Amino acid sequence: MSELRVAVVGAGLMGADHVIRIEERIIGAHVSAIVEPDEGRAKSAMATAPNATWFPNVEAAIEAKAMDAVLIATPGQFHEPVLVPALAAGLPILCEKPLTPDAASSLRMVEAEVATGKQLVQIGFMRRFDAGYENLRNLIAGKKQGELLGLHCAHRNPAVPDTYHNDMLIFDSVVHEIDAVRFLTDSPIKSVQVRHMKRNTLNPEKLNDPILVLLETESGVLASVEMNVSVQFGYQVKTEAVFEKGIAEIGRTAGMTTFFDGQIATEEHMSFKTRFAAAYDTQIQRWVNATKVGKIDGPSAWDGYLAAAAVEAGLTALHTGERVATEYAAKPAFYA
Ligand code: ISE
């Protein structure tokens, strides 16, 4: 196959960014279809993808045989209605995180993939493609600094849209740490606990933020996560790893430092689109390359399910204040 024809489903913030990425930076692929019910959003994305056809829903694009592969970039609650027909059509899929917002629907997606007899779904946990996370994972696995004892993670957004609500703190935001902690430690999340910090009164009433989340892995590592979606000053994702013989830190931004007016200042990112731009590029390029040879090259639907199961424990923890143990279904041999 020469050029992979990709249908991007959802032309919102992330979808529009992926359209530009595929058109401008990814080698061996182009956007052949934009699936988006909102005409305004579709048109502005089409302006950056001149060879794409607009479809209001994925069924119409499948019917027209408009693509070889699908990139799903709608919010998580809209993934299942796209995954089901795309899987039935046997199409390779890169599905933005979360696979779905809850464990039962994620397990349904795993079963739907198993039924096709082929691994078609890769999940967009882009942090796995970030150089810092990759280096830290290698450092932990190599044990040069001794055993990993714990992690301190900070996940800070300057602000979030009006549609953002409390449960999204877990299923839309902390889900990244849930996957990243498992990726770094190579061990599943065993329990989740959530406490509220003092509420930021700049938030709308419905949002009780920031929170402190404690993730415990089966291997005994404790990871503290400050999830803060209204930090105002910038977008910051950092992790500090505590080893037997020292500390490692990733995610400190190396933006320009200025020395003006008696102050030293370093530029910080304002969005995940720039903070993780290189990771997104690597993720999509590797997905395109793998898709062409009938494979995936990154987190699978099973990884998406494991994250969703831990999210479910996290939601119960958020609602009750209890420490909640995760429960996982048995792993299908298909993912061995
Ligand atoms: C958003 O959906 C993302 O995936 C971002 O990476 C995360 O920082 C943000 O909190 C989420 O809402």
Side-chain angles (χ1 to χ4, degrees), residues 29 41 43 107 111 122 152 157 181 197 203 249 252 282 310:
R41 273 209 294 260
K43 281 197 171 144
L107 196 56
E111 285 159 3
Q122 182 172 326
H152 298 293
N157 295 192
V181 167
M197 293 170 80
N203 284 328
E249 189 194 46
R252 194 179 282 228
T282 307

Side-chain angles (χ1 to χ4, degrees), residues 1-4 6 22 26-30 69 94 122 282-295 297:
M1 184 192 300
S2 48
E3 283 257 317
L4 187 77
V6 180
I22 294 171
I26 300 302
I27 297 163
H30 69 270
L94 181 89
Q122 182 172 326
T282 307
Q283 167 188 253
I284 305 282
Q285 186 65 65
R286 280 175 52 180
W287 172 68
V288 165
N289 297 349
T291 298
K292 288 185 176 186
V293 292
K295 294 190 173 155
D297 185 8

Side-chain angles (χ1 to χ4, degrees), residues 74-78 97-98 101 155 157 160-178 206-209 211 227 229 311 314-315 318-319:
T74 57
Q77 61 271 34
F78 304 120
K97 48 55 64 177
H155 182 169
N157 295 192
V160 276
D162 287 347
T163 47
Y164 196 96
H165 56 84
N166 264 335
D167 284 1
M168 291 176 78
L169 287 166
I170 306 291
F171 80 73
D172 197 56
S173 299
V174 174
V175 67
H176 280 296
E177 272 74 18
I178 285 174
K206 62 177 180 179
L207 194 54
N208 192 351
D209 160 76
I211 55 172
M227 186 68 242
V229 294
V311 158
L315 285 171
L318 177 75
H319 300 152

Side-chain angles (χ1 to χ4, degrees), residues 28-44:
H30 69 270
V31 179
S32 58
I34 290 176
V35 179
E36 168 61 63
D38 182 281
E39 188 172 352
R41 273 209 294 260
K43 281 197 171 144
S44 63

Side-chain angles (χ1 to χ4, degrees), residues 13-14 97 126-127 130 133 154-161 164 172-177 226-238 251-255 266-277 279-280:
L13 195 63
M14 209 58 243
K97 48 55 64 177
M126 78 297 189
R127 292 191 189 178
D130 174 83
Y133 280 90
H155 182 169
R156 301 178 176 130
N157 295 192
V160 276
Y164 196 96
D172 197 56
S173 299
V174 174
V175 67
H176 280 296
E177 272 74 18
E226 176 198 322
M227 186 68 242
N228 185 338
V229 294
S230 329
V231 79
Q232 312 288 322
F233 92 97
Y235 185 87
Q236 199 174 55
V237 171
K238 296 193 299 185
R252 194 179 282 228
T253 306
T266 306
E267 271 180 321
E268 182 53 284
H269 289 283
M270 290 307 292
S271 163
F272 46 88
K273 288 202 299 184
T274 57
R275 164 68 176 85
F276 288 109
Y280 286 121

